mmCIF file of all heavy atoms in Angstrom:
data_model
loop_
_atom_site.group_PDB
_atom_site.id
_atom_site.type_symbol
_atom_site.label_atom_id
_atom_site.label_comp_id
_atom_site.label_asym_id
_atom_site.label_seq_id
_atom_site.Cartn_x
_atom_site.Cartn_y
_atom_site.Cartn_z
ATOM 1 N N ALA Q 49 -67.499 0.640 46.041
ATOM 2 C CA ALA Q 49 -68.006 -0.321 47.076
ATOM 3 C C ALA Q 49 -68.114 -1.685 46.478
ATOM 4 O O ALA Q 49 -68.588 -1.862 45.367
ATOM 5 C CB ALA Q 49 -69.364 0.170 47.573
ATOM 6 N N GLU Q 50 -67.590 -2.643 47.240
ATOM 7 C CA GLU Q 50 -67.677 -4.070 46.851
ATOM 8 C C GLU Q 50 -68.538 -4.785 47.893
ATOM 9 O O GLU Q 50 -68.320 -4.644 49.084
ATOM 10 C CB GLU Q 50 -66.287 -4.681 46.788
ATOM 11 C CG GLU Q 50 -65.366 -4.181 45.739
ATOM 12 C CD GLU Q 50 -64.031 -4.879 45.719
ATOM 13 O OE1 GLU Q 50 -63.556 -5.242 46.817
ATOM 14 O OE2 GLU Q 50 -63.499 -5.108 44.647
ATOM 15 N N ARG Q 51 -69.504 -5.570 47.426
ATOM 16 C CA ARG Q 51 -70.325 -6.339 48.293
ATOM 17 C C ARG Q 51 -70.008 -7.829 48.131
ATOM 18 O O ARG Q 51 -69.556 -8.246 47.078
ATOM 19 C CB ARG Q 51 -71.818 -6.089 47.983
ATOM 20 C CG ARG Q 51 -72.301 -4.649 48.080
ATOM 21 C CD ARG Q 51 -73.643 -4.494 47.359
ATOM 22 N NE ARG Q 51 -74.225 -3.213 47.467
ATOM 23 C CZ ARG Q 51 -73.895 -2.120 46.733
ATOM 24 N NH1 ARG Q 51 -72.875 -2.308 45.828
ATOM 25 N NH2 ARG Q 51 -74.495 -0.998 46.873
ATOM 26 N N SER Q 52 -70.218 -8.570 49.228
ATOM 27 C CA SER Q 52 -70.072 -10.003 49.135
ATOM 28 C C SER Q 52 -71.357 -10.647 48.574
ATOM 29 O O SER Q 52 -72.412 -10.058 48.587
ATOM 30 C CB SER Q 52 -69.738 -10.556 50.512
ATOM 31 O OG SER Q 52 -70.832 -10.355 51.404
ATOM 32 N N GLY Q 53 -71.229 -11.856 48.050
ATOM 33 C CA GLY Q 53 -72.353 -12.590 47.585
ATOM 34 C C GLY Q 53 -72.476 -12.662 46.093
ATOM 35 O O GLY Q 53 -71.706 -12.018 45.333
ATOM 36 N N PRO Q 54 -73.382 -13.462 45.571
ATOM 37 C CA PRO Q 54 -73.554 -13.623 44.106
ATOM 38 C C PRO Q 54 -74.132 -12.424 43.431
ATOM 39 O O PRO Q 54 -74.742 -11.557 44.064
ATOM 40 C CB PRO Q 54 -74.517 -14.812 44.013
ATOM 41 C CG PRO Q 54 -75.334 -14.723 45.262
ATOM 42 C CD PRO Q 54 -74.367 -14.259 46.333
ATOM 43 N N GLY Q 55 -73.915 -12.331 42.181
ATOM 44 C CA GLY Q 55 -74.493 -11.216 41.387
ATOM 45 C C GLY Q 55 -73.796 -9.858 41.556
ATOM 46 O O GLY Q 55 -74.433 -8.827 41.273
ATOM 47 N N GLN Q 56 -72.568 -9.894 42.002
ATOM 48 C CA GLN Q 56 -71.880 -8.634 42.337
ATOM 49 C C GLN Q 56 -70.809 -8.299 41.266
ATOM 50 O O GLN Q 56 -70.090 -7.323 41.425
ATOM 51 C CB GLN Q 56 -71.219 -8.709 43.705
ATOM 52 C CG GLN Q 56 -72.253 -8.888 44.838
ATOM 53 C CD GLN Q 56 -73.351 -7.836 44.868
ATOM 54 O OE1 GLN Q 56 -73.102 -6.698 44.448
ATOM 55 N NE2 GLN Q 56 -74.478 -8.172 45.352
ATOM 56 N N LEU Q 57 -70.694 -9.048 40.237
ATOM 57 C CA LEU Q 57 -69.783 -8.714 39.142
ATOM 58 C C LEU Q 57 -70.317 -7.433 38.432
ATOM 59 O O LEU Q 57 -71.507 -7.237 38.324
ATOM 60 C CB LEU Q 57 -69.617 -9.847 38.129
ATOM 61 C CG LEU Q 57 -69.005 -11.145 38.649
ATOM 62 C CD1 LEU Q 57 -69.016 -12.248 37.589
ATOM 63 C CD2 LEU Q 57 -67.592 -10.924 39.148
ATOM 64 N N LEU Q 58 -69.352 -6.628 37.977
ATOM 65 C CA LEU Q 58 -69.774 -5.334 37.376
ATOM 66 C C LEU Q 58 -70.730 -5.504 36.250
ATOM 67 O O LEU Q 58 -71.738 -4.788 36.107
ATOM 68 C CB LEU Q 58 -68.547 -4.540 36.925
ATOM 69 C CG LEU Q 58 -68.836 -3.176 36.298
ATOM 70 C CD1 LEU Q 58 -69.605 -2.243 37.338
ATOM 71 C CD2 LEU Q 58 -67.573 -2.502 35.858
ATOM 72 N N ALA Q 59 -70.439 -6.489 35.343
ATOM 73 C CA ALA Q 59 -71.328 -6.734 34.191
ATOM 74 C C ALA Q 59 -72.743 -7.050 34.658
ATOM 75 O O ALA Q 59 -73.747 -6.564 34.124
ATOM 76 C CB ALA Q 59 -70.787 -7.867 33.354
ATOM 77 N N GLN Q 60 -72.837 -7.904 35.699
ATOM 78 C CA GLN Q 60 -74.170 -8.250 36.250
ATOM 79 C C GLN Q 60 -74.878 -7.054 36.840
ATOM 80 O O GLN Q 60 -76.074 -6.874 36.720
ATOM 81 C CB GLN Q 60 -74.013 -9.347 37.274
ATOM 82 C CG GLN Q 60 -73.404 -10.632 36.706
ATOM 83 C CD GLN Q 60 -73.097 -11.664 37.758
ATOM 84 O OE1 GLN Q 60 -72.661 -11.326 38.838
ATOM 85 N NE2 GLN Q 60 -73.232 -12.909 37.446
ATOM 86 N N GLN Q 61 -74.116 -6.191 37.542
ATOM 87 C CA GLN Q 61 -74.701 -4.994 38.157
ATOM 88 C C GLN Q 61 -75.246 -4.038 37.118
ATOM 89 O O GLN Q 61 -76.315 -3.453 37.291
ATOM 90 C CB GLN Q 61 -73.680 -4.308 39.042
ATOM 91 C CG GLN Q 61 -73.209 -5.093 40.276
ATOM 92 C CD GLN Q 61 -72.212 -4.344 41.093
ATOM 93 O OE1 GLN Q 61 -72.487 -3.224 41.582
ATOM 94 N NE2 GLN Q 61 -71.035 -4.879 41.258
#
Side-chain angles (χ1 to χ4, degrees):
E50 294 183 323
R51 300 165 177 80
S52 61
Q56 300 303 333
L57 296 176
L58 180 60
Q60 297 170 327
Q61 294 181 59

